[in-house]
Amino acid sequence: MSADGIKCDVAVVGGGPAGSTLGTFLAKYGPNLDVRIFEAEVFPRDHVGESQLPNISEFLHEMGVWEKVEAAGFPVKVGGTFKWGMKRDLWHFSFLQDELKEIPRPAEFAGQRRQTAFHVDRSVYDKILLDHAEEVGCKVYQGARIQKVLTDDDCVMGLRTASGEAITARYYVDATGHRGTIRTAFDVPCEYPTALQNVAFWGYWQNAEWPENIGIGGTRAQIMSLPYGWVWFFPISQTRTSVGLVLPASYYKESRQRPEELYQQALKQEPRINYLLTGAAYEGQLSTTKDWSFLASRIYGANWFLAGESAGFADPILSAGMTITQACARELAFTILELERGEHDPVWLLDEYQRLQSNRVRSHIKFADFWYTSNGQFEDLKEYTRQIAKWNGLDLSPNDAWTWLARGGFIDDDFAPGFGTFHIQGIRELSEYMDPVKAEHPFNHKNVFRLNLDGAQVVSRARYVGGRVVKIECYERDGKILPLIGAYEVIVDLLRQTTRMMEMVQSLKQLLSSLHPNMAQRLATEFPSYFWAMVESGWITASRDPAAPLIPINMQRQWWAMEWHKDKKEALRKIAKADGSTAGTI
Ligand SMILES: Cc1cc2nc3c(=O)[nH]c(=O)nc-3n(C[C@H](O)[C@H](O)[C@H](O)COP(=O)(O)OP(=O)(O)OC[C@H]3O[C@@H](n4cnc5c(N)ncnc54)[C@H](O)[C@@H]3O)c2cc1C
């Protein structure tokens, strides 16, 4: 580092997934910006958080790094196996509707591989991402811990590394994970919107069995609940497996046992994990952390931003941490680039960034709480689950709250019906296992539908595409949104023409036949879920005209696909039966 100190446009503190993703997107879409990343450690270094969701693959592709991650040979995550919920036997879910094809690796980012995720050894993954950020134009400093954040009012005036180097920049980003170096310098208060306080103990094992070998290099995450917590089992390379135990902090305290004792006991006690670890060698070092979900009360200041886990964290049961982190870093990069262009109102840009990140983390925290409640072993959360539904204007029992969730009770800030980054179809599949859902699609018993925009206001919401922040018109009422894009826009247009289901179906068919087949398929798939979510959130009122026919919709079809890997013939039989029995399926 130079004796005069470093001057740059963007100083990023922390070189984990948030810092490297942000740096890569800034370099890709704003090549004239001088971006510097300061990382305390020298990579490779271990880090918890190894099981990804498929959305990350899209980010990696856009960053131009998917091929490098694929070439590292990480296990392909095609879904998960759970022991959870009301059923105590194992249940499986898959990101794919078919078996993973036997495509040799390294594969291309195409077909099925667009819908799968990775289980990553973070010592390798984080280094690939940080090296990539450097390759595309960021200057990276490793072993450069930021020790001091110089502040004046709400401004960062400069940074100092542990070795005394001075850094000044136009924008400062805190990507330091849970440490929150800039967040703590400004004493930003954090919320803890959950009753759940867990601790996690984890270690690494060599040569454990893989629970399943699917296609080439594919497997499933294992989440096994115990009477007092749960165990994760993630193969993260051909030979290395991450195994962790999560349990309530209160249980840990009252047990008066050491983490190592509790950890080893739990792995022995859980039969599937015990079996998979027979013959495996423990690397011998147990890591521990408290994993309490939190949310920073503000995530930007006069010239600084929080990105990734420094802005908030949701319980690891959903394996969503890195997805939230990398989405957040991407959106911050696009926000900074728009601030530079000066075409949008900066207050709108910043408020959109804050609103989206906070709502996303909050949604994931709520969803994690639902998840724990439905395990039947976290009794103290039951009342809280009701509270979640109440916040959304409903007075429901915990079980009914799950049913409501599975119906896609509202439209999410990511413009999809669901919860955080979880699409409604996935939630339905989960709730089917957690607590059987009795909900029926409105098409099955209603045939007159009216658009209800009473009292709604038109607002602009941000959408992040191709390095730009685009304004999307939405209706907003009582904190709920109806975005005027994609399937929603089509539904609004159709309902402006007619209230009759049959007429709507005819118009939809005409529209589908005029679209590119991929677009048509996507719209046809999204239409029923999006329509249902609009009914649930009050944008559509539904009634029945006994003189007009019903058009029952088949929501079962995708559920059977979950069973596919277990018994293909049976799944095919069920799909054929479900299709055959449904008149007029869209
Ligand atoms: C128990 C547990 C289990 C989890 N399981 C999952 C999972 O299965 N799937 C998932 O997606 N997520 C999981 N997560 C979440 C995941 O770990 C985080 O979402 C992710 O690591 C956040 O990335 P980040 O870049 O924001 O922070 P980090 O990955 O923590 O990176 C921050 C970086 O900043 C550096 N740094 C810190 N302070 C300074 C400083 N002062 N100066 C310079 N550098 C600094 C650190 O060395 C580090 O490299 C889990 C988390 C926990 C606690």
Side-chain angles (χ1 to χ4, degrees):
M1 295 187 194
S2 95
D4 304 334
I6 296 165
K7 286 191 170 48
C8 58
D9 293 314
V10 187
V12 184
V13 188
S20 53
T21 302
L22 175 85
T24 299
F25 278 117
L26 286 174
K28 172 172 176 166
Y29 294 115
N32 296 328
L33 284 177
D34 180 351
V35 182
R36 314 265 176 135
I37 302 175
F38 302 89
E39 166 54 49
E41 308 269 345
V42 177
F43 284 10
R45 54 97 180 90
D46 272 327
H47 199 295
V48 72
E50 295 115 340
S51 182
Q52 302 193 329
L53 298 175
N55 291 14
I56 291 191
S57 297
E58 287 293 337
F59 305 145
L60 296 176
H61 176 60
E62 191 180 357
M63 289 159 71
V65 73
W66 190 88
E67 279 72 18
K68 292 181 190 173
V69 175
E70 167 69 359
F74 295 121
V76 178
K77 179 181 169 187
V78 300
T81 297
F82 284 79
K83 190 196 282 172
W84 200 275
M86 300 313 188
K87 298 181 184 175
R88 298 309 297 158
D89 47 350
L90 296 181
W91 52 272
H92 312 268
F93 80 90
S94 183
F95 301 134
L96 301 171
Q97 301 229 336
D98 283 324
E99 286 166 342
L100 182 67
K101 294 197 176 82
E102 299 267 338
I103 294 174
R105 299 186 67 193
E108 280 176 21
F109 185 65
Q112 286 187 323
R113 293 302 306 282
R114 294 187 85 107
Q115 297 155 42
T116 57
F118 292 106
H119 270 162
V120 296
D121 185 330
R122 290 283 299 272
S123 66
V124 182
Y125 178 77
D126 287 15
K127 180 164 165 39
I128 294 174
L129 260 54
L130 192 58
D131 289 349
H132 182 72
E134 188 159 38
E135 201 176 296
V136 296
C138 302
K139 181 120 180 67
V140 174
Y141 303 81
Q142 297 197 35
R145 177 176 299 282
I146 299 302
Q147 207 162 48
K148 238 187 201 157
V149 180
L150 308 171
T151 63
D152 181 19
D153 201 8
D154 196 32
C155 275
V156 176
M157 303 305 289
L159 306 170
R160 292 281 181 281
T161 64
S163 59
E165 189 83 10
I167 300 149
T168 47
R170 293 195 292 124
Y171 304 100
Y172 298 86
V173 179
D174 182 347
T176 60
H178 66 95
R179 277 179 197 277
T181 301
I182 296 180
R183 187 188 71 224
T184 45
F186 284 102
D187 261 339
V188 174
C190 290
E191 287 175 52
Y192 299 89
T194 173
L196 207 63
Q197 297 196 327
N198 284 338
V199 290
F201 310 141
W202 71 97
Y204 297 93
W205 296 73
Q206 289 291 337
N207 300 316
E209 286 292 322
W210 277 26
E212 276 178 284
N213 282 288
I214 305 168
I216 297 181
T219 192
R220 242 179 273 271
Q222 307 291 303
I223 303 284
M224 301 290 128
S225 73
L226 292 162
Y228 50 88
W230 59 274
V231 175
W232 80 66
F233 181 101
F234 305 147
I236 56 172
S237 80
Q238 291 308 310
T239 56
R240 201 173 189 219
T241 297
S242 166
V243 187
L245 168 68
V246 177
L247 69 173
S250 53
Y251 181 91
Y252 165 50
K253 263 194 209 147
E254 282 157 24
S255 78
R256 296 179 178 275
Q257 283 179 281
R258 289 184 303 111
E260 188 74 53
E261 275 174 74
L262 282 167
Y263 177 72
Q264 297 294 349
Q265 254 171 39
L267 306 196
K268 288 219 162 52
Q269 207 176 344
E270 207 314 295
R272 187 168 171 88
I273 303 294
N274 186 35
Y275 165 74
L276 293 169
L277 291 177
T278 316
Y282 179 45
E283 288 186 11
Q285 199 185 339
L286 192 73
S287 300
T288 63
T289 189
K290 66 181 176 85
D291 70 1
W292 301 349
S293 302
F294 78 93
L295 186 57
S297 60
R298 69 187 178 114
I299 64 169
Y300 70 87
N303 62 350
W304 58 268
F305 306 90
L306 309 182
E309 200 177 305
S310 74
F313 171 72
D315 192 278
I317 185 64
L318 304 174
S319 292
M322 267 195 290
T323 312
I324 299 173
T325 286
Q326 294 193 243
C328 172
R330 175 178 175 272
E331 287 152 7
L332 177 56
F334 293 11
T335 301
I336 291 175
L337 292 164
E338 288 296 355
L339 288 171
E340 286 291 282
R341 286 189 197 104
E343 293 168 18
H344 286 305
D345 173 7
V347 175
W348 177 78
L349 280 171
L350 295 169
D351 285 353
E352 281 297 284
Y353 176 63
Q354 159 100 26
R355 193 188 52 73
L356 179 56
Q357 307 316 320
S358 301
N359 287 356
R360 196 184 276 145
V361 174
R362 202 185 292 279
S363 296
H364 280 88
I365 294 174
K366 285 183 198 173
F367 189 23
D369 283 350
F370 267 116
W371 197 299
Y372 278 99
T373 310
S374 63
N375 197 24
Q377 289 163 19
F378 292 83
E379 286 295 320
D380 49 341
L381 276 178
K382 289 228 162 187
E383 191 46 41
Y384 180 70
T385 311
R386 275 178 77 126
Q387 187 60 43
I388 296 172
K390 255 191 186 156
W391 284 335
N392 289 280
L394 298 156
D395 191 6
L396 300 172
S397 71
N399 291 352
D400 288 346
W402 251 110
T403 310
W404 160 75
L405 181 64
R407 286 197 309 243
F410 61 93
I411 294 156
D412 183 81
D413 273 285
D414 282 314
F415 297 149
F419 235 123
T421 53
F422 290 84
H423 192 268
I424 190 59
Q425 190 57 39
I427 295 173
R428 275 194 197 118
E429 288 169 0
L430 290 171
S431 53
E432 174 75 348
Y433 282 87
M434 301 274 198
D435 193 2
V437 176
K438 298 140 223 118
E440 250 196 287
H441 196 286
F443 290 171
N444 288 343
H445 46 99
K446 308 280 185 203
N447 52 13
V448 181
F449 298 97
R450 282 195 173 75
L451 197 58
N452 171 20
L453 300 174
D454 293 352
Q457 285 185 330
V458 177
V459 295
S460 296
R461 287 284 169 86
R463 185 152 189 249
Y464 301 82
V465 271
R468 303 295 311 242
V469 184
V470 181
K471 281 191 172 179
I472 299 292
E473 278 206 343
C474 301
Y475 284 106
E476 185 176 38
R477 183 176 54 204
D478 303 331
K480 291 179 184 154
I481 56 160
L482 171 60
L484 295 176
I485 47 164
Y488 298 117
E489 197 175 19
V490 170
I491 295 168
V492 168
D493 280 351
L494 291 173
L495 288 170
R496 281 192 165 130
Q497 292 162 34
T498 179
T499 57
R500 300 278 148 171
M501 195 61 223
M502 286 307 277
E503 289 167 26
M504 205 157 67
V505 169
Q506 289 314 320
S507 303
L508 179 66
K509 279 185 176 162
Q510 265 178 14
L511 175 67
L512 292 176
S513 64
S514 69
L515 296 175
H516 183 277
N518 290 350
M519 290 277 293
Q521 195 191 356
R522 183 168 171 184
L523 179 57
T525 314
E526 287 179 350
F527 190 88
S529 297
Y530 284 52
F531 199 99
W532 198 351
M534 284 172 67
V535 173
E536 289 297 324
S537 30
W539 298 112
I540 297 174
T541 53
S543 57
R544 171 92 190 255
D545 173 358
L550 286 172
I551 302 190
I553 184 135
N554 187 357
M555 297 303 289
Q556 299 293 324
R557 196 178 201 285
Q558 283 144 334
W559 290 350
W560 303 136
M562 292 172 63
E563 309 287 326
W564 191 268
H565 64 281
K566 281 198 271 177
D567 187 341
K568 194 169 176 176
K569 267 198 191 142
E570 179 63 5
L572 275 172
R573 196 187 59 74
K574 283 178 177 172
I575 287 172
K577 190 168 168 232
D579 281 352
S581 64
T582 307
T585 300
I586 293 171

